[in-house]
Amino acid sequence: MSSATPPAAEPADLLGALPPMWLRDNCPCPECRDPHSGQKLFQITDLPRELAVASAAPQHDNGANAVDVVWSPDGHRSRYPVQWLLANRPGETAEADHRSEAGKQLWQAADLAGALPEADWAAYLANPGERARVLEAVQRLGFALLRAVPTEEGQVLAVAESFGFVRETNYGKLFDVRVEPNPDNLAFTSARITPHTDNPYRDPVPTIQLLHCLSNAAEGGDSGLVDGFRAAALLREEDPEAFGVLTRTPVPFVYRDARTELTAFRPLIDTDPLGRIREVRFNNRSIGTLRLPAAELEAFYAAYRTFAELLLRPGLQLDFRLAPGDCVVFDNTRLLHARTAFEQSGARHLQGCYADLDGLAGTLAVLRRSAALDELDELFIGPGAAEYLGEPVTIAEHMLQAGALAEAAGAPAHLVAAALLHDIGHFHGPVSGQELMAGTDNRHSHTGADLLARWFGPEVTEPVRLHVAAKRYLCAVEPGYRARLSEASEYTLQVQGGPMGDAEAADFAALPGAADAVAVRRWDEQAKDAGAAIPGFEHFRPLLTALLRR
Amino acid sequence: MSSATPPAAEPADLLGALPPMWLRDNCPCPECRDPHSGQKLFQITDLPRELAVASAAPQHDNGANAVDVVWSPDGHRSRYPVQWLLANRPGETAEADHRSEAGKQLWQAADLAGALPEADWAAYLANPGERARVLEAVQRLGFALLRAVPTEEGQVLAVAESFGFVRETNYGKLFDVRVEPNPDNLAFTSARITPHTDNPYRDPVPTIQLLHCLSNAAEGGDSGLVDGFRAAALLREEDPEAFGVLTRTPVPFVYRDARTELTAFRPLIDTDPLGRIREVRFNNRSIGTLRLPAAELEAFYAAYRTFAELLLRPGLQLDFRLAPGDCVVFDNTRLLHARTAFEQSGARHLQGCYADLDGLAGTLAVLRRSAALDELDELFIGPGAAEYLGEPVTIAEHMLQAGALAEAAGAPAHLVAAALLHDIGHFHGPVSGQELMAGTDNRHSHTGADLLARWFGPEVTEPVRLHVAAKRYLCAVEPGYRARLSEASEYTLQVQGGPMGDAEAADFAALPGAADAVAVRRWDEQAKDAGAAIPGFEHFRPLLTALLRR
């Protein structure tokens, strides 16, 4: 049988270009990384200075397709899944930082016409998918509107706590936005407030702001939002010099009242080390006195003015009116908010609070994880209950059995997942399993792999993609394999192209994911036992959760 | 009398180099700046694009020494105190940003030997000066130790709330640091933890951490702190290339458990737009997989290792042991904390929480404001009760009366303050008022100005510094002035050098602060009326608070 298992990819090809320190720092062994918390257990200084790969060998026990590395000079051993090595190869595109412009969808008003990111508060509370959609809008567009939030005082805190943690400030846990006598802040008057970000004098600045409308019977007092990242990107395009000045000039922002005094020195446009827009601060009310050489002051004021004009450019600002019960949640490091002046005679009362983007991102990530698993679970319950191409088990039973077989064989988690999910493409492809049995190849392995790529990395998707090819390969190269196929599998083999020819089999064997796919295929063939006890989908949730893409 | 008031500084000299937009943006008039909140009332885009000074004229109504500007093309009028113009001249040194290395005192262990910044909790609570000293240590050195904090659970929150606001996270409002079964974080084991900053995967990262020791009977479990700014500055000195790499490479920091998932992309060393060290993040446990071209990965790992070695260099780390009741408060964007391994058999239990530097800075600023006024108040009550060089009023009565006269004359706030505080130097100089009367000039005007410079800008200190010279000037140039001096003042005039000669008087008149000093001097001469009703020091607190330097 060993002759039939394709050789793993050549370790030298995979490891040649990898910096040894980077590779070793990513060693997944339980000595290097705590299996429970996932945290690294060693210091970078614990590694030998002259670290090198002493030997590397392909490894495929229990269906793994991995490379075993022995390190010099300390003799440490690491095992890297081939798919991990392929996916994390140096030079591959970095994951988008969700705080910088690279992780955002920039907009101007017309882009959102008639399609405000909004949701009903009750639906948001009841439905995790709705919750994820709202939080994703805040992350991607910079804001979302919740409607029909109960118009009770303090309710804004419940909204913040639904996704994160309230950031208390000198204004309290929450603050009231309404006309006050002798206000310390112009927000608490009826004056027009032009587009600005809040609290630029705070450092760290609150990254999320919420405003909940309790009443708005005043004439005027309409709201506006401007995408500051979009405006900053326009500035970079139209006047790169001004953009540069604003990213390089720390501006003193100042707030002072009887109980506090805050000063922060931050640029109007903050970029990350790669030069990508990351934060915008803009608040004419609280800019203090800049102390710079005259030429730099002139350059700053020219750039500041150009940016200020750009922020007021028609078409950028999204105008809307908060009705009682509306709560707008927005990214205070990106969106500028504004309001028109209003008549003091009408009642206008908002309550606001601050929170932070990291808590929101964490909640969203967990919602996505469990949404992915819920979606998979529903596939097992719904279409999975269908008969499996004439086999004595349903599709769901077949897949659960395959996963259980992989697990029982001691296979690594990603292969258990691949075995469990290998036929998922039967549910979603344009050609159904029934049609496959009627003679049309539904290419379900590719459909399934593409579907799974939403949630899992290549270590899970590629064995799924290749599991049909693996059957055609095994039937070609392993004596007696084809004879053991079930009747339905023999039929579909022909629809799928029959056993591979010699050249095709050699090409397949050379693929880096071939060994993983062959392992999955063997569990696939075995998982048609109507009498076997099989675990439910719930059994695999923790394993799948750990594999979900970040 | 007008001939005796020196001409104000030439406006052209003062305004020539000032960029018009900057000057106008700092217009202090009540149309431009809300008199109550101090917030700006106009947008930069409200200003005419072709802004220019149409005319500028010296102005000294009511003792002010100011420049009146009329703007073209909009005809707006601004009045700038001369001392403000001098103090804020472009090119003058910027105020130190208290978040960057420029606002810090960097240290290694030996610098603090035997002099840990520490305070007793009861004294900290009772005494605002002690509170300011502790908070100032956190701001300047990065940490302080509070002793004898009650060893009650939750007490760490009271410590945080004494200066700021607790930052709640997925770990709760507070977290327990003790050995846990199946910990999600190595902090909750008995393992050694090398120097690190907390929560680098959070963005914004908590900028302050508190750790309160409830019990520490374990063998081991000692604490250590390393000044990460000092280490980063050493790296910049010893290996500027490595320093550059670490400031330019965003590093993925990752934390993941069943309830949350946090990812932040931030460099290990973050600099401000001027290249000054501003934040350090260092945590081997949570660095994720970097995806960069191989050459960049190699450069990063070399620099990362060099910095890690430097952080472990003997002499950098301050070692101490937390005893029950100790609470360490430290800057989590600057200081790395560490602990030695400990025996699981002994009880070791800390409680921790997070807070932010901006809240602490705000509390410290307010404490300093009121400490300054308390100190001045005590001078009025204590030495101020002494007789005033033989005059019929005490020194305190004389100064309060001078302040009241300035106020009654409608003088600007800084001149009311200068009049109120002009003789403060009599209390602090090396030569007493008694000695002055015995024939030794105590140079009290200079002593007083230097003392006041701790709290006030030149608009207050310079009229004080020149108030003796102003007497010598007035006696020289104003007919009849000398004849109106009190007997004591006539005597001290001679000790102080007598009336100025022509050349000296001309030089004095040319000083930018001369007009202010002359105004103060006139109130000084009048403020010797034993029968006048005078306000107490409390009356002037709000005016003085508003003038205190930021």
Side-chain angles (χ1 to χ4, degrees):
Chain A
M1 199 169 99
S2 69
S3 71
T5 296
E10 193 54 54
D13 295 348
L14 285 165
L15 301 185
L18 304 185
M21 279 291 175
W22 172 84
L23 186 61
R24 176 68 176 271
D25 194 38
N26 284 288
C27 174
C29 88
E31 266 175 58
C32 288
R33 202 176 264 277
D34 185 81
H36 179 73
S37 69
Q39 294 194 317
K40 266 176 214 168
L41 295 167
F42 62 95
Q43 312 305 312
I44 196 75
T45 46
D46 294 338
L47 303 183
R49 184 179 281 278
E50 301 304 330
L51 194 67
V53 171
S55 72
Q59 193 279 340
H60 39 74
D61 290 347
N62 301 322
N65 185 7
V67 176
D68 276 358
V69 170
V70 180
W71 292 96
S72 145
D74 67 347
H76 185 78
R77 290 165 181 275
S78 306
R79 173 170 296 177
Y80 300 96
V82 166
Q83 294 295 357
W84 185 91
L85 290 170
L86 291 172
N88 290 280
R89 258 188 302 219
E92 293 291 309
T93 315
E95 289 169 282
D97 172 1
H98 56 77
R99 283 292 303 276
S100 89
E101 61 180 315
K104 310 292 188 190
Q105 180 185 338
L106 309 194
W107 54 263
Q108 55 189 348
D111 300 331
L112 302 177
L116 288 189
E118 59 185 321
D120 182 77
W121 173 243
Y124 168 90
L125 282 182
N127 180 348
E130 194 73 347
R131 236 167 20 249
R133 198 176 59 77
V134 166
L135 302 185
E136 196 266 343
V138 178
Q139 197 174 69
R140 188 171 48 85
L141 298 172
F143 77 107
L145 265 167
L146 287 165
R147 308 285 197 186
V149 177
T151 53
E152 285 158 26
E153 300 220 352
Q155 191 67 28
V156 70
L157 298 177
V159 177
E161 286 160 1
S162 75
F163 61 75
F165 304 98
V166 172
R167 176 97 78 89
E168 191 176 353
T169 71
N170 55 299
Y171 300 123
K173 270 182 90 87
L174 64 75
F175 50 89
D176 288 283
V177 184
R178 59 185 163 193
V179 177
E180 283 181 7
N182 293 318
D184 283 324
N185 195 305
L186 292 179
F188 312 139
T189 68
S190 64
R192 173 192 180 209
I193 309 266
T194 50
H196 67 284
T197 63
D198 259 31
N199 288 207
Y201 41 76
R202 210 178 293 285
D203 184 9
V205 72
T207 51
I208 288 181
Q209 183 172 175
L210 297 91
L211 287 171
H212 177 218
C213 180
L214 295 175
S215 62
N216 194 4
E219 184 81 17
D222 292 350
S223 300
L225 289 172
V226 176
D227 183 354
F229 278 19
R230 165 80 184 205
L234 278 172
L235 182 68
R236 180 174 52 199
E237 201 178 300
E238 298 174 5
D239 191 342
E241 216 165 304
F243 179 83
V245 165
L246 296 188
T247 62
R248 288 191 308 266
T249 309
V251 173
F253 289 100
V254 181
Y255 177 84
R256 197 173 163 150
D257 68 20
R259 293 167 301 111
T260 195
E261 181 170 320
L262 298 162
T263 309
F265 292 81
R266 303 296 287 150
L268 295 191
I269 301 173
D270 202 14
T271 50
D272 71 9
L274 307 179
R276 300 179 301 196
I277 299 160
R278 191 181 152 80
E279 289 190 356
V280 167
R281 270 173 199 75
F282 194 90
N283 194 317
N284 68 296
R285 284 173 282 154
S286 49
I287 290 191
T289 299
L290 281 88
R291 295 212 180 91
L292 289 172
E296 289 179 35
L297 280 179
E298 268 171 37
F300 170 80
Y301 269 94
Y304 171 31
R305 189 192 176 94
T306 302
F307 189 41
E309 284 171 355
L310 206 159
L311 286 165
L312 297 174
R313 186 175 293 180
L316 280 191
Q317 181 169 318
L318 177 74
D319 296 304
F320 59 104
R321 186 174 172 84
L322 287 175
D326 290 348
C327 181
V328 59
V329 181
F330 58 95
D331 179 346
N332 186 51
T333 66
R334 174 181 170 195
L335 259 56
L336 291 81
H337 61 293
R339 71 145 189 254
T340 58
F342 58 92
E343 290 297 320
Q344 294 218 22
S345 53
R348 185 178 191 270
H349 184 195
L350 312 184
Q351 285 193 322
C353 72
Y354 299 113
D356 281 305
L357 287 167
D358 55 357
L360 182 144
T363 303
L364 178 56
V366 170
L367 281 169
R368 281 179 175 153
R369 282 186 340 208
S370 77
L373 296 189
D374 289 349
E375 204 170 316
L376 290 172
D377 197 359
E378 278 165 30
L379 290 176
F380 275 75
I381 293 166
E387 62 137 19
Y388 174 42
L389 313 182
E391 303 284 1
V393 287
T394 66
I395 304 184
E397 286 164 348
H398 167 61
M399 295 205 293
L400 290 164
Q401 208 172 101
L405 286 165
E407 195 171 47
H414 68 278
L415 287 190
V416 175
L420 175 71
L421 303 168
H422 73 277
D423 269 347
I424 209 96
H426 276 313
F427 306 145
H428 267 67
V431 179
S432 69
Q434 284 71 17
E435 287 168 298
L436 172 64
M437 289 308 287
T440 306
D441 184 3
N442 65 357
R443 296 179 52 79
H444 75 283
S445 58
H446 292 277
T447 312
D450 292 346
L451 173 71
L452 292 172
R454 285 168 55 199
W455 303 305
F456 299 102
E459 73 278 16
V460 175
T461 61
E462 296 320 288
V464 171
R465 188 183 307 282
L466 294 178
H467 84 276
V468 167
K471 175 168 76 166
R472 298 181 51 234
Y473 169 79
L474 284 166
C475 290
V477 304
E478 187 165 302
Y481 192 92
R482 182 170 181 175
R484 293 198 301 273
L485 293 186
S486 68
E487 193 180 331
S489 197
E490 168 58 34
Y491 175 76
T492 56
L493 173 68
Q494 294 165 42
V495 178
Q496 289 155 345
M500 288 178 171
D502 287 352
E504 198 180 2
D507 285 351
F508 175 82
L511 293 174
D516 282 1
V518 162
V520 167
R521 186 71 222 182
R522 294 188 194 279
W523 295 312
D524 181 359
E525 308 297 359
Q526 292 169 51
K528 297 167 182 179
D529 178 356
I534 50 166
F537 182 80
E538 285 303 312
H539 171 76
F540 296 100
R541 271 195 178 248
L543 176 142
L544 293 174
T545 299
L547 285 168
L548 286 171
R549 263 180 193 285
R550 274 192 265 277
Chain B
M1 199 170 101
S2 69
S3 70
T5 296
E10 193 55 54
D13 295 347
L14 284 164
L15 301 185
L18 303 185
M21 278 291 175
W22 172 84
L23 186 61
R24 176 68 176 271
D25 195 38
N26 283 287
C27 174
C29 88
E31 266 176 56
C32 288
R33 200 175 267 276
D34 186 81
H36 179 73
S37 68
Q39 295 194 316
K40 266 176 214 166
L41 295 167
F42 62 94
Q43 312 305 313
I44 195 75
T45 46
D46 293 339
L47 302 184
R49 184 178 281 281
E50 301 304 331
L51 193 66
V53 171
S55 72
Q59 193 280 338
H60 40 74
D61 289 348
N62 302 322
N65 185 7
V67 176
D68 276 359
V69 170
V70 180
W71 292 97
S72 147
D74 66 348
H76 185 79
R77 289 164 182 274
S78 306
R79 173 169 297 178
Y80 299 96
V82 166
Q83 294 295 357
W84 185 90
L85 290 170
L86 291 172
N88 291 280
R89 256 187 306 217
E92 293 291 309
T93 315
E95 288 169 282
D97 172 0
H98 56 78
R99 282 292 304 274
S100 88
E101 61 180 315
K104 309 292 187 189
Q105 179 184 338
L106 310 195
W107 54 263
Q108 55 189 349
D111 300 332
L112 302 177
L116 289 189
E118 59 186 320
D120 181 76
W121 173 242
Y124 168 91
L125 283 182
N127 179 348
E130 193 74 347
R131 230 158 36 241
R133 199 176 58 79
V134 166
L135 303 184
E136 197 266 344
V138 178
Q139 197 174 67
R140 188 171 47 86
L141 298 172
F143 78 107
L145 266 167
L146 287 165
R147 308 285 197 184
V149 178
T151 53
E152 285 158 27
E153 299 219 354
Q155 191 66 27
V156 70
L157 298 176
V159 178
E161 286 161 1
S162 75
F163 61 75
F165 304 99
V166 172
R167 176 99 77 89
E168 190 176 352
T169 72
N170 55 298
Y171 300 122
K173 271 182 90 85
L174 64 75
F175 50 90
D176 289 282
V177 184
R178 60 184 162 195
V179 177
E180 282 181 7
N182 293 318
D184 283 325
N185 194 306
L186 292 180
F188 313 139
T189 68
S190 64
R192 173 190 178 209
I193 310 265
T194 49
H196 67 285
T197 63
D198 259 31
N199 288 207
Y201 39 77
R202 210 178 293 284
D203 185 9
V205 72
T207 52
I208 288 182
Q209 182 172 175
L210 297 91
L211 287 171
H212 177 219
C213 179
L214 295 175
S215 61
N216 195 4
E219 184 81 16
D222 292 350
S223 299
L225 289 172
V226 176
D227 182 356
F229 278 20
R230 165 80 184 205
L234 278 172
L235 182 69
R236 180 174 53 198
E237 203 179 300
E238 298 175 6
D239 191 343
E241 215 165 302
F243 178 84
V245 166
L246 296 189
T247 62
R248 287 192 308 268
T249 309
V251 173
F253 289 100
V254 181
Y255 177 84
R256 198 173 163 152
D257 68 21
R259 292 168 302 113
T260 195
E261 181 170 320
L262 297 163
T263 309
F265 293 80
R266 302 297 286 149
L268 296 191
I269 302 173
D270 202 13
T271 50
D272 71 10
L274 306 180
R276 301 179 301 196
I277 299 160
R278 192 181 151 79
E279 289 191 357
V280 167
R281 274 174 196 74
F282 195 90
N283 193 317
N284 68 296
R285 283 172 283 155
S286 48
I287 291 192
T289 299
L290 281 87
R291 295 212 180 90
L292 290 173
E296 288 179 36
L297 279 181
E298 269 172 35
F300 171 79
Y301 268 93
Y304 171 31
R305 189 193 175 93
T306 302
F307 189 40
E309 284 171 355
L310 206 159
L311 286 165
L312 297 174
R313 185 175 293 180
L316 279 190
Q317 180 168 316
L318 177 75
D319 296 305
F320 59 103
R321 186 174 172 85
L322 287 175
D326 290 348
C327 181
V328 58
V329 181
F330 58 96
D331 179 346
N332 186 51
T333 66
R334 174 182 170 194
L335 261 54
L336 290 81
H337 61 293
R339 69 144 190 252
T340 59
F342 59 92
E343 291 297 319
Q344 293 217 24
S345 54
R348 185 178 191 272
H349 184 195
L350 311 184
Q351 285 193 320
C353 73
Y354 300 113
D356 280 305
L357 286 167
D358 55 356
L360 181 144
T363 303
L364 177 57
V366 170
L367 281 170
R368 280 178 174 153
R369 281 184 345 206
S370 77
L373 296 190
D374 289 348
E375 203 170 319
L376 290 172
D377 197 357
E378 278 164 31
L379 289 177
F380 275 75
I381 292 166
E387 62 138 17
Y388 175 40
L389 313 181
E391 303 284 1
V393 288
T394 66
I395 303 184
E397 286 164 347
H398 167 62
M399 295 204 293
L400 290 165
Q401 206 172 92
L405 286 165
E407 196 171 47
H414 68 279
L415 288 189
V416 174
L420 175 71
L421 303 168
H422 72 279
D423 271 345
I424 208 97
H426 276 313
F427 306 145
H428 268 66
V431 179
S432 69
Q434 283 72 17
E435 287 169 297
L436 173 64
M437 289 308 286
T440 307
D441 183 2
N442 64 359
R443 295 177 54 78
H444 75 282
S445 59
H446 292 277
T447 313
D450 292 346
L451 173 70
L452 293 172
R454 285 169 56 198
W455 303 306
F456 299 103
E459 72 278 18
V460 175
T461 61
E462 295 320 289
V464 171
R465 188 183 306 282
L466 294 179
H467 84 276
V468 167
K471 175 169 76 167
R472 298 181 52 232
Y473 169 80
L474 285 165
C475 289
V477 305
E478 187 165 301
Y481 192 91
R482 183 170 182 177
R484 294 198 302 273
L485 293 186
S486 69
E487 194 182 330
S489 197
E490 168 57 34
Y491 174 76
T492 56
L493 173 66
Q494 293 166 40
V495 177
Q496 290 153 346
M500 288 177 172
D502 287 353
E504 199 181 1
D507 286 350
F508 175 83
L511 293 174
D516 283 1
V518 163
V520 167
R521 186 71 221 182
R522 295 188 192 280
W523 295 313
D524 180 359
E525 307 298 358
Q526 294 170 50
K528 296 168 183 180
D529 179 355
I534 50 165
F537 182 80
E538 285 304 311
H539 171 76
F540 295 101
R541 272 195 177 246
L543 176 142
L544 293 175
T545 298
L547 285 168
L548 285 171
R549 264 178 192 284
R550 273 194 266 275

